[in-house]
Amino acid sequence: MHPLGPTIARISAVLVASVVVGACDRASTTPGVSAHEKHSTLKTIAQRIMYCDDGTRANVALSDDGLKIAVTWLPRGRPEILRANSDGDQFRNDQSRAVVEGGTLAFLRGGNVRVCHRTPGDH
């Protein structure tokens, strides 16, 4: 098993639980940040701007079935859809994986890990 395997599994379980809990209250969207709307057919129930440890920001939307997230790296990234096979699984596509723990999302892409947190003041 890859050295990150157990860590990713733990983060995945917490990520899904927090996304489900966080989805219960619709997040307010930031005016002018609607990157998912035009480029995706994802029906969202929650959308948040997340701040990453490396200084980047991501617009993250959760689908109504809880098994897909759309991620757009701000300010000019293209939407990227990641899917999970079932509750508790990692979200993934051909290039990326994402796991959630609490209000934190960890993105793994090409050997790089990017850790992002909810917008300050977001509940």
Side-chain angles (χ1 to χ4, degrees):
M1 179 179 267
H2 191 275
L4 288 176
T7 301
I8 291 170
R10 284 191 300 272
I11 293 173
S12 292
V14 175
L15 171 66
V16 171
S18 68
V19 168
V20 170
V21 169
C24 292
D25 64 329
R26 282 190 174 260
S28 60
T29 57
T30 304
V33 182
S34 58
H36 302 305
E37 293 173 16
K38 295 178 184 174
H39 304 291
S40 158
T41 59
L42 187 72
K43 184 175 178 186
T44 62
I45 59 169
Q47 186 171 351
R48 302 207 187 286
I49 302 299
M50 301 191 81
Y51 288 86
C52 306
D53 292 347
D54 64 359
T56 59
R57 292 179 304 138
N59 181 353
V60 179
L62 176 68
S63 70
D64 60 345
D65 65 5
L67 298 178
K68 292 182 283 297
I69 59 172
V71 180
T72 302
W73 297 102
L74 301 174
R76 294 185 180 88
R78 297 190 62 144
E80 182 177 357
I81 305 294
L82 290 85
R83 293 174 171 77
N85 290 325
S86 62
D87 288 343
D89 285 349
Q90 297 176 18
F91 293 93
R92 53 180 40 208
N93 64 18
D94 292 340
Q95 297 86 26
S96 302
R97 292 185 290 165
V99 292
V100 179
E101 182 171 339
T104 301
L105 260 167
F107 293 94
L108 296 96
R109 183 177 198 157
N112 296 318
V113 176
R114 186 182 286 180
V115 178
C116 305
H117 311 276
R118 287 185 187 181
T119 305
D122 223 0
H123 300 290

